[in-house]
Amino acid sequence: MKKLYFGTNLKMYKNIRDTVDYLQKLVENTRDISREEIELFVIPSFTSLQSAAEQVDRRYVKLGAQNMCWEEQGQFTGEISPLMLQELGLDLVMIGHSERRHVFGETDIEENKKVLCALEHGFTTLLCVGETGEEKDYGISNEVLRTQLIVGFHGITPEQAKKLWVAYEPVWAIGVNGKPASVEYAEEKHQVIKACLRELFGAEIADEIPVLYGGSVSPGNACSLITQPSIDGLFTGRSAWQADPFNQLIRDAMAAAGRG
Ligand code: PGA
């Protein structure tokens, strides 16, 4: 049976101490869950990464960065190099979160450069995709998702694609003002994403790429989302930022999916 994926992006929240405390508690809470069954990952702030990497048992939780530059070094003030992230021994890099795209104006072509660079440096690479509310209203969600995937993964070989993960996060569903996608809508878009991945990399490799749902995941919808055939995991924000409720959400979702 395939693993279930559970992860969270801590965005611009939590200082170093709070991040380490949170991660250590999450490890304690979930230690008894077999990592053959789940992949658990957390993406903290850059300033917390070094302490987290040193003080957290990585057999239980993978650590990722929220963003990365496509160059190794140079005149890129304010950016973080893949070499800097390699120094920390991180597991994964997230590219193209909706806030990077829509608050900071990143384009699909930039995400593609970052994805290529992250893969070349050996990171598992999580590309986030998702349509805005306006794009949904115009009926072009599928086209937007396909564009983000086709451009975002341009030039990636099927061999490299074995290190890809995808998160589907409809922009209108994310954050305090978001409303969660219906389970039916999420499943339909996951099917669109999976079909596009098959076109790009062939079925054998594409079907191994986990596609996670994110955007107002909560204890109220986690179980019905995770039991959808095309949803491989949950990428959770607010509902995961305390270790106890996140642990409970994971266990409830696993039980709903007939695991554990
Ligand atoms: P949310 O965040 O679960 O708080 O809506 C999701 C995300 O931005 O990844």
Side-chain angles (χ1 to χ4, degrees):
M1 249 207 247
K2 279 190 181 176
K3 280 185 181 179
L4 299 176
Y5 288 71
F6 295 98
T8 185
N9 157 30
L10 298 181
K11 306 194 181 186
M12 200 171 71
Y13 293 106
K14 292 192 195 291
N15 62 22
I16 297 171
R17 188 69 259 154
D18 291 346
T19 303
V20 172
D21 287 349
Y22 163 79
L23 282 161
Q24 289 177 337
K25 190 159 188 209
L26 190 60
V27 167
E28 278 319 306
N29 282 347
T30 60
R31 195 183 284 277
D32 63 307
I33 303 174
S34 162
R35 266 44 182 184
E36 302 287 308
E37 296 269 354
I38 67 163
E39 190 77 82
L40 178 60
F41 65 97
V42 173
I43 308 183
S45 68
F46 283 122
T47 53
S48 301
L49 278 172
Q50 182 167 7
S51 301
E54 286 166 1
Q55 296 177 53
V56 173
D57 190 338
R58 307 272 290 287
R59 289 171 302 169
Y60 296 98
V61 60
K62 299 252 188 306
L63 289 178
Q66 296 181 9
N67 185 21
M68 191 195 78
C69 186
W70 58 77
E71 291 288 341
E72 287 191 341
Q73 60 180 13
Q75 300 175 89
F76 298 98
T77 302
E79 290 293 309
I80 301 283
S81 149
L83 300 182
M84 296 168 184
L85 299 180
Q86 275 180 335
E87 249 186 321
L88 298 174
L90 294 188
D91 305 293
L92 70 133
V93 174
M94 173 171 68
I95 303 294
H97 185 273
S98 85
E99 289 149 20
R100 296 303 318 167
R101 293 174 185 268
H102 299 293
V103 182
F104 298 101
E106 291 184 8
T107 66
D108 288 326
I109 291 172
E110 287 169 342
E111 310 309 8
N112 176 236
K113 290 202 267 186
K114 294 181 183 199
V115 170
L116 281 165
C117 181
L119 291 171
E120 276 158 18
H121 288 82
F123 295 111
T124 294
T125 304
L126 170 63
L127 181 71
C128 301
V129 297
E131 79 284 5
T132 64
E134 191 177 34
E135 288 161 344
K136 177 170 173 278
D137 292 344
Y138 275 94
I140 57 167
S141 301
N142 295 358
E143 287 77 3
V144 170
L145 294 175
R146 286 178 53 79
T147 301
Q148 291 178 343
L149 291 167
I150 293 166
V151 179
F153 291 155
H154 182 76
I156 286 159
T157 64
E159 192 53 36
Q160 287 178 309
K162 291 177 182 168
K163 294 201 87 158
L164 292 177
W165 296 358
V166 174
Y168 170 55
E169 299 201 290
V171 180
W172 46 272
I174 292 176
V176 275
N177 299 318
K179 57 173 176 41
S182 72
V183 170
E184 297 72 27
Y185 187 89
E187 168 62 19
E188 187 192 306
K189 297 306 165 213
H190 276 241
Q191 287 177 13
V192 170
I193 290 167
K194 283 184 178 266
C196 185
L197 293 175
R198 276 183 215 124
E199 278 174 39
L200 290 172
F201 304 119
E204 200 182 318
I205 285 175
D207 291 350
E208 296 300 317
I209 299 175
V211 184
L212 287 67
Y213 173 79
S216 296
V217 173
S218 71
N221 62 13
C223 294
S224 47
L225 285 163
I226 199 70
T227 45
Q228 296 305 302
S230 308
I231 297 182
D232 304 309
L234 302 175
F235 192 33
T236 308
R238 289 155 294 152
S239 296
W241 293 342
Q242 303 299 326
D244 287 340
F246 189 28
N247 170 48
Q248 195 57 50
L249 185 147
I250 292 167
R251 287 175 193 275
D252 290 347
M254 286 183 70
R259 307 292 184 91

